[in-house]
Amino acid sequence: FVTITNLDNCYKIPNFNALAMLTQLNIPNSTACRGPGWVPAVQLAELIISRVAAEVGMSPDAVREKNFFKRGDTTACGM
C-alpha cells in the first residue's frame, strides 16, 4: 500500500492509475525497515520519468522539472 500511495513521488501525474496486489510470504522479515515501500516507489517513479523522457526525446531533468508538484497541487491520493 505504501508503494502505491507514494508512486507519484514529487511529480504531478494527472492520469495516474495503479493496481496493487498484496502478497504474503511464508517466511518472516529478516530485517527492520523504516518507511517500507518508499524506496521502491521512488525508484519506479524515476524509471518512469526516464522512460517518458526517452520516448519524447527530452532530457530526464527537463521532464522532471516540467512535472514537479506546484503549490496547491494534490497527489493522486488526494493529499
Side-chain angles (χ1 to χ4, degrees), residues 33-49:
C33 181
R34 185 172 182 180
W38 276 94
V39 173
V42 170
Q43 288 175 327
L44 185 54
E46 294 303 323
L47 175 66
I48 292 167
I49 291 291

Side-chain angles (χ1 to χ4, degrees), residues 1-6 20 22 77:
F1 176 74
V2 173
T3 301
I4 292 295
T5 58
N6 296 303
L22 296 176
C77 295

Side-chain angles (χ1 to χ4, degrees), residues 20-78:
M21 296 175 60
L22 296 176
T23 304
Q24 183 176 358
L25 303 175
N26 61 353
I27 56 174
N29 291 338
S30 60
T31 61
C33 181
R34 185 172 182 180
W38 276 94
V39 173
V42 170
Q43 288 175 327
L44 185 54
E46 294 303 323
L47 175 66
I48 292 167
I49 291 291
S50 295
R51 289 199 174 175
V52 166
E55 194 69 29
V56 299
M58 294 174 66
S59 77
D61 287 338
V63 173
R64 286 182 182 100
E65 223 173 285
K66 282 183 164 283
N67 291 285
F68 282 141
F69 280 117
K70 313 266 186 305
R71 188 175 303 277
D73 287 344
T74 58
T75 67
C77 295

